[in-house]
Amino acid sequence: MSKPKLHSAKTFNLLIVANGEPDAAFVAETLRSTPAIAFNYNIALSKTTYRSLLHSNSYHAVLCSHAVFCSDAPSKQEIAPEEALVLLHSSGQQIPFILISETLEDTNEHLRAQIADCVLRDRISLLPEILQHRLLPPPPLVPSPQSAMARLSQALQDASSTDEFLARVAPLLRETLNIQRCSLLQLDAEEQMRVRYVFPAGHQPETPSHLEGELERHHRTRLEAGHHLILPCLEETAQPAAVDAGSLLLVPLWSQQSYLGVLYLHHGHKEHQWTQAELDWAKTVAVHCAIALRNSQLSQHLQRHQRWHWLLHRVGASLNSTRSTDSAFAEAIEHIGETFGVEQVLLARVGEEQIVVTHEWRSQPDWTAYLHASVPAAEWQELLAPESPYCNNRYFQTSSLAEYCAEKEQTRQIVEPSQARSSLAIAIFARDRLWGSLILQTARSRTFSLEEINTLSQIADQLALAAAIQQEEQLQQEVEERTQQLEVANQAKSEFLSSMSHELRAPLTSVIGFARVLLEQIYGKLNSKQTQYISAIADSGEHLLSLINDLLDISKIEANREELYPETLSVEEICLSSMALLEERAEQAGLQLHFDLHPDVTVCYADQRRLKQILVNLLSNAIKFTESGSVTLKVEPRANRLEFSVTDTGIGISQADLDTLFQPFQQIQTPLHRKHKGSGLGLALSRKLARLHGGDIEATSKEGKGSCFTLSLPMPAEAASGIID
């Protein structure tokens, strides 16, 4: 055993594992050339010697040279690092195992995780310092760990912002770790690494320096897994001027299972070996930095949400105000522009042919105005198609608007003079159809976060509701205007019919009268052909007069010119008088007329002429469409109403025909209709007269079994008081 001159108070025993005397001598010579510590060493050149020395001696560390195991055909006596590590563990000695290797690639990841340190052969000069850090107690921190921890905790409590906290922590790191420079990089909302703090103070670029950025990107996976990294900062490496050659310690910043960034600590000595105490202290500082960053993020997040909540409230208040929809939209987009700090906000209406900007807000008057500008919808079909990502995801954004619109001819002409660079469009759907777009534009490159997009989507929903209400109001206004036009037209029609009916009825009455006189042959006899023609003139005249009378009555009702003169009437008298008018026609048709009056019914309150007209119409229709059997008029009380029912045994009416039965000029197409002429106004007029009385007419029927038409009138109070349904 060789014993070099010692310079430390304590001597350390080392076991050198090598494959041959030259390699062992190379390691020993390195230790001898730097008398930082005193040591004794043994050399093991075989597995047997190595195992024996481990069991017979106590050592402070094992040095294993990996270079001798690079041959393709190792001898049976060679000891691979994995075997040497296993034998060390089996000996029961818990001492550092230091590997000396040609390159890091010569050792696998699993082995590197188990050994204390790995020294490259071309940097073997670091071996004495590594042993010193491993075998000697670490020098005390200046100031003491307790004092440093107290200052760290106090800084976190007292600092009003993250930057203030970092400004207090950086000098503390310099004192305790003797570093030349530190910097903190933070992931922003767009997952981009940006410089948050640099010490000493100097130029702080918006993006990390070339060296720091490349290192972080290259080692992102390990940093995100929570591993710290110790890297040499070589002179030939491209780096900022403030960073000289030395050693870098990268400590990841973690909080609540989220990777927030990385803390860079630069030690000026290129051969500096970070002790465990220094690593623990750096990790402690990193934890506090991560807490500060997380608090800052939470504070910013809370402030953003407060602004957005205020914005949603203000937009909602604007849209729910009593002002016009246009002014509400204008105020809403102004709030949006100011809150999100953009230069322009547009509200565009999407039509089938054109996309038109209906509202605009600009932060500066010199910004290009888009109000009332329009572009063809055909140029934006990749967004407007129902299956497009825009319609499905409800948003679209680009950070290069001019480039995106380069192929859209008319859109490009509008966009080119604009200062807008980034654009975000939020789809507005009203009644499940694309109604328009809310567009935010900025002069700089900007990517809107999902939180911002979600907030704007909520605002778009409010705008959609307001748009739907606006459409409803416009539609209602159009309906009211159209209704008024129809009422005016209907009034004019009624007045015209009323006027024309009066003008036609006088000469028509004369025609009918002269025809009847000729038929009586008072002024001479008529031959058969003359009698036939004059009879046809009289019948047609009376049919036309009946039609004109019905038209006159309906037009008067629709023009609100019909006046009723209700009085107390004997129900029996008015029913019998109505039936008397049709007895002859019923006899000619071979039908029986029946009358059934409830004993409790005596009087009713109605206009005598109009009530009789209704009953005659109902009885006449029943006789007309009944070929055999009977027609019955039945009157009975029903709660506070009086019902006049006309029931026949005629051909009946289908359900489809019942739905149109009471419409003017509607006649059911049956053989009996062709036999009996009619105007199609009788039932319509009867129902209108019934409703003028406060009643109604309902019909029930079965094809082939007959029909029942029921006139319902309000019962006089004195009569209804004694009736129980």
Side-chain angles (χ1 to χ4, degrees):
M1 179 179 288
S2 174
K3 294 185 177 180
K5 185 178 180 180
L6 304 178
H7 290 273
S8 63
K10 184 176 181 179
T11 300
F12 296 93
N13 295 325
L14 306 177
L15 177 55
I16 300 174
V17 183
N19 188 26
E21 288 287 345
D23 194 51
F26 172 75
V27 177
E29 182 64 25
T30 301
L31 297 174
R32 191 181 301 112
S33 63
T34 309
I37 56 175
F39 61 89
N40 294 323
Y41 63 87
N42 293 115
I43 297 175
L45 302 179
S46 67
K47 297 178 184 177
T48 303
T49 304
Y50 178 63
R51 186 183 296 108
S52 175
L53 290 172
L54 283 174
H55 285 83
S56 60
N57 298 288
S58 295
Y59 297 96
H60 292 94
V62 172
L63 305 180
C64 180
S65 177
H66 192 205
V68 298
F69 301 107
C70 296
S71 62
D72 295 332
S75 68
K76 294 183 178 180
Q77 293 300 319
E78 290 181 359
I79 309 174
E82 291 83 355
E83 294 176 301
L85 189 60
V86 171
L87 290 173
L88 174 60
H89 291 164
S90 64
S91 70
Q93 296 193 51
Q94 304 295 323
I95 59 178
F97 184 96
I98 299 175
L99 181 66
I100 302 169
S101 178
E102 292 288 342
T103 63
L104 289 177
E105 286 73 14
D106 292 339
T107 58
N108 58 53
E109 186 75 22
H110 178 70
L111 177 61
R112 289 200 299 270
Q114 298 185 70
I115 63 178
D117 287 285
C118 180
V119 182
L120 300 179
R121 287 181 66 84
D122 61 352
R123 300 180 69 84
I124 194 69
S125 60
L126 296 175
L127 182 58
E129 187 176 351
I130 292 174
L131 288 171
Q132 184 177 8
H133 286 301
R134 287 293 178 186
L135 303 180
L136 294 177
L141 293 171
V142 181
S144 67
Q146 294 80 5
S147 174
M149 181 61 73
R151 288 172 60 185
L152 180 64
S153 300
Q154 193 65 39
L156 185 60
Q157 294 178 13
D158 295 343
S160 59
S161 66
T162 303
D163 290 335
E164 182 181 346
F165 168 75
L166 296 174
R168 295 185 182 189
V169 168
L172 181 60
L173 283 170
R174 190 169 191 176
E175 293 176 19
T176 55
L177 299 179
N178 193 29
I179 60 173
Q180 278 64 52
R181 183 176 182 269
C182 73
S183 59
L184 185 144
L185 274 62
Q186 180 184 7
L187 280 173
D188 61 14
E190 301 171 9
E191 295 297 315
Q192 297 295 321
M193 191 64 69
R194 299 186 182 276
V195 171
R196 178 64 185 266
Y197 186 82
V198 175
F199 179 84
H203 177 63
Q204 299 186 29
E206 186 175 307
T207 57
S209 66
H210 175 76
L211 173 65
E212 293 170 337
E214 287 297 324
L215 288 176
E216 195 280 333
R217 283 189 291 273
H218 184 71
H219 297 285
R220 171 75 67 89
T221 302
R222 294 199 64 191
L223 292 170
E224 287 183 338
H227 301 300
H228 71 274
L229 297 173
I230 299 174
L231 303 172
C233 188
L234 303 178
E235 293 181 359
E236 62 271 16
T237 305
Q239 52 191 302
V243 180
D244 300 322
S247 177
L248 279 176
L249 172 62
L250 283 67
V251 186
L253 303 179
W254 270 78
S255 178
Q256 299 180 2
Q257 299 182 343
S258 297
Y259 176 60
L260 304 181
V262 59
L263 178 65
Y264 282 82
L265 301 177
H266 172 235
H267 198 287
H269 198 288
K270 67 180 180 180
E271 297 181 352
H272 176 71
Q273 295 297 313
W274 298 87
T275 67
Q276 189 61 47
E278 290 174 329
L279 292 176
D280 292 342
W281 173 240
K283 291 178 181 178
T284 301
V285 174
V287 168
H288 282 70
C289 289
I291 293 173
L293 290 180
R294 174 60 71 181
N295 290 340
S296 176
Q297 287 181 344
L298 292 176
S299 176
Q300 293 174 2
H301 182 77
L302 178 61
Q303 292 175 3
R304 287 196 303 270
H305 275 264
Q306 287 176 340
R307 290 199 308 270
W308 295 340
H309 180 74
W310 174 88
L311 175 61
L312 289 169
H313 172 72
R314 290 300 303 271
V315 170
S318 298
L319 297 176
N320 293 326
S321 63
T322 56
R323 71 188 68 186
S324 67
T325 306
D326 285 339
S327 61
F329 281 166
E331 186 175 276
I333 65 173
E334 179 181 358
H335 293 321
I336 295 170
E338 293 175 346
T339 303
F340 280 88
V342 297
E343 283 74 27
Q344 192 171 48
V345 182
L346 307 173
L347 191 60
R349 184 75 168 88
V350 177
E352 294 184 1
E353 301 294 335
Q354 296 287 319
I355 303 174
V356 182
V357 177
T358 58
H359 298 81
E360 178 187 52
W361 174 87
R362 292 174 291 161
S363 62
Q364 300 294 333
D366 58 347
W367 253 70
T368 304
Y370 282 146
L371 187 61
H372 304 312
S374 64
V375 296
E379 290 189 351
W380 292 88
Q381 283 307 304
E382 78 278 9
L383 298 185
L384 303 183
E387 67 279 3
S388 70
Y390 177 65
C391 289
N392 290 320
N393 300 329
R394 303 296 176 96
Y395 78 91
F396 162 80
Q397 65 175 325
T398 177
S399 57
S400 181
L401 181 61
E403 181 178 343
Y404 185 83
C405 300
E407 302 297 327
K408 307 177 187 298
E409 182 177 355
Q410 295 190 40
T411 304
R412 186 188 69 249
Q413 296 175 5
I414 296 176
V415 170
E416 279 182 347
S418 171
Q419 302 95 321
R421 181 177 178 185
S422 297
S423 182
L424 169 68
I426 304 293
I428 302 175
F429 279 80
R431 304 184 186 278
D432 296 327
R433 296 187 63 182
L434 182 61
W435 179 88
S437 293
L438 174 64
I439 304 170
L440 283 71
Q441 301 197 137
T442 64
R444 67 186 188 282
S445 178
R446 175 173 176 178
T447 300
F448 291 83
S449 67
L450 288 178
E451 285 185 322
E452 293 175 316
I453 292 172
N454 289 336
T455 300
L456 290 168
S457 295
Q458 295 181 53
I459 295 175
D461 291 339
Q462 291 182 324
L463 295 174
L465 181 59
I469 294 174
Q470 183 187 43
Q471 288 180 333
E472 189 72 28
E473 291 175 348
Q474 291 176 348
L475 180 61
Q476 184 176 356
Q477 183 178 358
E478 291 176 0
V479 170
E480 290 177 354
E481 292 176 354
R482 182 61 177 166
T483 300
Q484 292 177 356
Q485 293 174 358
L486 291 175
E487 288 177 352
V488 171
N490 192 50
Q491 181 77 12
K493 178 206 70 174
S494 298
E495 292 178 356
F496 171 76
L497 289 176
S498 177
S499 174
M500 289 303 297
S501 296
H502 282 294
E503 294 295 328
L504 291 173
R505 194 159 49 172
L508 190 56
T509 302
S510 300
V511 171
I512 296 172
F514 289 139
R516 294 302 180 193
V517 169
L518 290 175
L519 287 175
E520 291 177 2
Q521 301 187 35
I522 298 175
Y523 301 103
K525 291 185 178 182
L526 302 173
N527 59 39
S528 59
K529 195 54 94 171
Q530 291 172 333
T531 302
Q532 178 185 352
Y533 288 161
I534 294 175
S535 295
I537 291 172
D539 292 341
S540 298
E542 289 190 359
H543 175 68
L544 183 57
L545 181 61
S546 175
L547 175 59
I548 291 173
N549 287 333
D550 289 344
L551 278 172
L552 177 61
D553 289 338
I554 287 181
S555 62
K556 287 177 65 177
I557 294 172
E558 290 180 347
N560 296 319
R561 293 168 59 185
E562 175 66 26
E563 295 183 6
L564 297 181
Y565 300 95
E567 57 183 318
T568 301
L569 304 174
S570 170
V571 174
E572 183 176 10
E573 288 182 5
I574 198 166
C575 288
L576 291 175
S577 63
S578 299
M579 295 177 67
L581 295 175
L582 300 167
E583 283 182 356
E584 182 178 355
R585 188 187 301 178
E587 289 178 1
Q588 292 176 354
L591 302 177
Q592 295 181 352
L593 280 179
H594 299 296
F595 178 51
D596 184 1
L597 179 64
H598 192 281
D600 292 333
V601 176
T602 56
V603 297
C604 66
Y605 190 72
D607 184 297
Q608 180 178 3
R609 184 172 70 88
R610 292 306 190 185
L611 177 56
K612 189 173 182 180
Q613 182 179 358
I614 295 171
L615 294 177
V616 170
N617 274 338
L618 296 180
L619 290 168
S620 176
N621 273 349
I623 294 172
K624 185 187 302 183
F625 299 108
T626 303
E627 293 184 309
S628 62
S630 63
V631 174
T632 302
L633 173 59
K634 182 178 181 180
V635 185
E636 59 182 342
R638 186 73 65 186
N640 60 343
R641 305 185 75 79
L642 194 61
E643 292 186 352
F644 297 78
S645 300
V646 177
T647 306
D648 62 60
T649 58
I651 59 176
I653 306 170
S654 67
Q655 184 61 45
D657 290 331
L658 279 175
D659 296 335
T660 60
L661 193 61
F662 292 96
Q663 296 180 15
F665 305 104
Q666 295 293 324
Q667 287 186 308
I668 304 171
Q669 299 303 314
T670 66
L672 290 180
H673 278 85
R674 289 188 290 270
K675 180 179 178 182
H676 303 283
K677 296 180 180 179
S679 64
L681 294 174
L683 289 176
L685 176 59
S686 297
R687 171 171 274 188
K688 288 181 181 293
L689 291 173
R691 289 179 174 177
L692 282 178
H693 281 83
D696 203 352
I697 297 178
E698 301 293 337
T700 59
S701 181
K702 289 186 178 180
E703 290 188 84
K705 295 185 177 180
S707 305
C708 177
F709 288 80
T710 302
L711 166 65
S712 174
L713 295 178
M715 185 180 293
E718 61 273 13
S721 60
I723 302 299
I724 299 177
D725 187 14

